Amino acid sequence: MGLSARVRDEFPLLGQSAHGKPIVYLDSAATSQKPREVIDALVRYYEEYNANVHRGIYAIAEKATLAYEEARGKVAGFINARRPEEVVFTRGTTEAINLVAYAWGLHSLRAGDEIILTTMEHHSNLVPWQLIAGMTGARLKFWDFDGEGKISLEELDRLLTGRTRMVALAHQSNVLGTFNPVAEAARRARAAGALVLVDAAQSVPHMPVDVQQLGADFVAFSGHKMCGPTGIGALWARYEHLEALQPFHGGGEMIMLVELDRSTYKEPPWKFEAGTPNIAGAIVWGAAVDYLTRIGMEAIRAHEQQLTGYALVQLQEIKGLRIHGPKNPAERGGAIAFSMDGVHPHDIAQVLDQEGICVRAGHHCTQPLHRRLGVAATVRASLYLYNTADDIDALVRGLDKVLAYFAPSRRSGVGAEGRRGA
Ligand code: C6P
């Protein structure tokens, strides 16, 4: 697992400690850590060329505008978009999905039209559609997953009808880790006359994603989960859709001509970027894209797959621990949610915190998914390029401490000493 040893030192936060213990960061599905060069890019922007974009005609304003548009090009290249103008900067995945729900759904959906969503969606890809369905009379239909956390294309075929207008689904579940068959789903849904939105918040950071190969209509993702800053993300869309859509937000910079009672708008993507955008965020996200590109997304995926396999084996040895989602690391990413019989997820997270281990406990913004699993909450450990087998070993030792507190009879003793002799 050479990749993480190489990159780990580049992340200043990973050298910090909490409660007197070195930090073991296992919450990258919530947000990733940032390498030094990305942090430096932020400081450089504010120290050297902080100015508003698309407005000033002085040197630093032109430099900022150029860097902002270059960042769009970098993000577009990262996902193999046909052109930079297919990338709209947003605050993140959530805003990107809301953009589609409002700019497309509100204007296009009619009573009785159908929107298909999976039951594993993050609230970001559920609540906007509930809102739009409420306003338009469209109907939500749900594509359920099986006991292993997988969805079947046959079920999609069963759900698709002549009234289906949108199929919106996650590429990778942020809880089950499942990779959904989005390319084939997009092919079938589009053949049935529906549009397809892919929530790629958990896939673009972790594996090569080529929007042309995916074949969807819209793809949403966030900068902060891929070594970039918070408050920036993107909606990728086929350009013809962006041309056809109404603006989402109105305000400065998205207009061509404003009369008192009407306006005309800029070309996409600028039509969707009203007001002063997150200039620093976009530019620094561009630096994160450079960083990930240099390491290579194939290498990152290979590393995470290997580490996920290791984690699944180690965790399954713990008595009374149940992993939710596929057990085959080839079918899933490194977001690993689990339950421990008789121990509350928040207690687990609290004990782990005392060991410097950062995991997330709760419903992870997927209440219906958890209801479907029959639990109110889970613990989730999630991996990224900088994690190592030592981090997994630390987690296993931490879980042994959890057993020592809450279920001493289930302790095997292995974790306390460390399986790999750590
Ligand atoms: N999931 C997690 O801990 P934003 O917050 O807009 O950057 O991303 C929202 C989002 C949408 N879809 C999926 C699949 C996601 O995982 C997330 C963010 C984080 O799981 C924070 S709730």
Side-chain angles (χ1 to χ4, degrees):
M1 298 179 197
L3 178 61
S4 49
R6 226 174 58 222
V7 303
R8 200 178 170 83
D9 290 347
E10 295 167 358
F11 289 78
L13 190 133
L14 299 178
Q16 303 294 312
S17 45
H19 307 297
K21 308 268 172 66
I23 281 189
V24 175
Y25 190 73
L26 293 171
D27 198 19
S28 295
T31 197
S32 72
Q33 295 305 334
K34 325 299 173 198
R36 169 65 64 201
E37 68 184 61
V38 168
I39 298 167
D40 288 349
L42 182 69
V43 174
R44 209 163 41 247
Y45 167 71
Y46 280 120
E47 285 187 352
E48 296 175 13
Y49 59 103
N50 170 45
N52 213 327
V53 291
H54 300 140
R55 291 158 169 86
I57 50 166
Y58 46 92
I60 57 169
E62 284 175 356
K63 184 169 177 183
T65 301
L66 196 65
Y68 179 77
E69 290 304 329
E70 266 176 16
R72 192 191 307 280
K74 288 177 187 181
V75 172
F78 192 69
I79 55 167
N80 197 29
R82 287 176 198 85
R83 49 194 281 202
E85 294 80 15
E86 289 184 334
V87 170
V88 179
F89 282 129
T90 63
R91 282 194 295 130
T93 306
T94 304
E95 190 178 68
I97 296 172
N98 275 276
L99 192 163
V100 178
Y102 283 85
W104 170 77
L106 196 54
H107 299 282
S108 303
L109 290 168
R110 302 280 169 270
D113 285 346
E114 295 168 357
I115 300 165
I116 297 176
L117 308 169
T118 81
T119 50
M120 67 172 81
E121 293 313 307
H122 188 280
H123 297 164
S124 293
N125 198 26
L126 174 60
V127 181
W129 299 114
Q130 292 174 347
L131 289 166
I132 293 303
M135 291 179 216
T136 59
R139 205 158 72 84
L140 303 182
K141 288 170 75 176
F142 292 100
W143 182 4
D144 203 6
F145 57 88
D146 66 16
E148 239 210 313
K150 295 196 245 178
I151 49 173
S152 84
L153 291 161
E154 294 67 44
E155 178 66 2
L156 174 64
D157 291 339
R158 210 182 55 73
L159 289 166
L160 285 168
T161 71
R163 294 304 302 266
T164 310
R165 303 291 311 283
M166 170 62 77
V167 176
L169 77 166
H171 199 174
Q172 187 200 156
S173 161
N174 66 320
V175 175
L176 305 166
T178 319
F179 291 146
N180 288 323
V182 284
E184 184 53 27
R187 203 188 60 70
R188 294 184 191 202
R190 294 187 91 239
L195 295 175
V196 176
L197 180 145
V198 174
D199 172 352
Q202 299 291 353
S203 59
V204 168
H206 297 281
M207 60 197 216
V209 172
D210 178 330
V211 289
Q212 296 190 48
Q213 274 177 17
L214 275 191
D217 295 280
F218 304 101
V219 177
F221 50 107
S222 300
H224 69 98
K225 294 186 200 288
M226 48 186 286
C227 299
T230 50
I232 188 77
L235 172 71
W236 169 86
R238 293 171 188 259
Y239 196 71
E240 61 270 25
H241 291 328
L242 292 180
E243 283 182 308
L245 292 187
Q246 293 294 312
F248 177 32
H249 296 141
E253 274 307 303
M254 47 79 72
I255 50 80
M256 287 284 282
L257 188 72
V258 179
E259 308 278 358
L260 280 177
D261 59 351
R262 80 189 73 104
S263 302
T264 55
Y265 312 118
K266 276 189 177 155
E267 295 293 300
W270 302 282
K271 170 169 95 173
F272 299 100
E273 294 179 6
T276 300
N278 185 350
I279 304 163
I283 292 171
V284 178
W285 189 16
V289 165
D290 287 342
Y291 176 80
L292 292 176
T293 304
R294 211 171 56 244
I295 290 172
M297 294 310 294
E298 296 278 2
I300 291 172
R301 170 60 194 145
H303 170 74
E304 286 184 29
Q305 183 170 334
Q306 196 179 9
L307 202 56
T308 301
Y310 179 70
L312 293 174
V313 169
Q314 297 301 312
L315 291 173
Q316 279 170 115
E317 281 183 33
I318 297 172
K319 283 198 197 115
L321 187 147
R322 202 155 29 97
I323 293 165
H324 304 287
K327 304 298 176 295
N328 178 355
E331 294 178 339
R332 57 167 301 147
I336 307 172
F338 58 88
S339 304
M340 284 174 91
D341 290 345
V343 193
H344 195 283
H346 287 107
D347 289 334
I348 298 172
Q350 206 170 358
V351 173
L352 293 177
D353 173 49
Q354 291 304 310
E355 301 303 310
I357 302 168
C358 311
V359 294
R360 189 170 169 192
H363 54 65
H364 319 302
C365 301
T366 56
Q367 287 182 7
L369 182 157
H370 278 76
R371 222 165 276 129
R372 169 76 177 69
L373 293 176
V375 292
T378 53
V379 178
R380 184 189 65 190
S382 54
L383 309 172
Y384 207 10
L385 72 164
Y386 37 68
N387 288 116
T388 62
D390 288 342
D391 295 336
I392 306 300
D393 292 344
L395 174 66
V396 171
R397 282 196 303 277
L399 291 173
D400 191 65
K401 287 226 158 99
V402 171
L403 288 181
Y405 281 121
F406 297 102
S409 62
R410 289 216 303 269
R411 281 184 88 193
S412 63
V414 240
E417 289 77 40
R419 286 187 171 75
R420 295 167 65 255

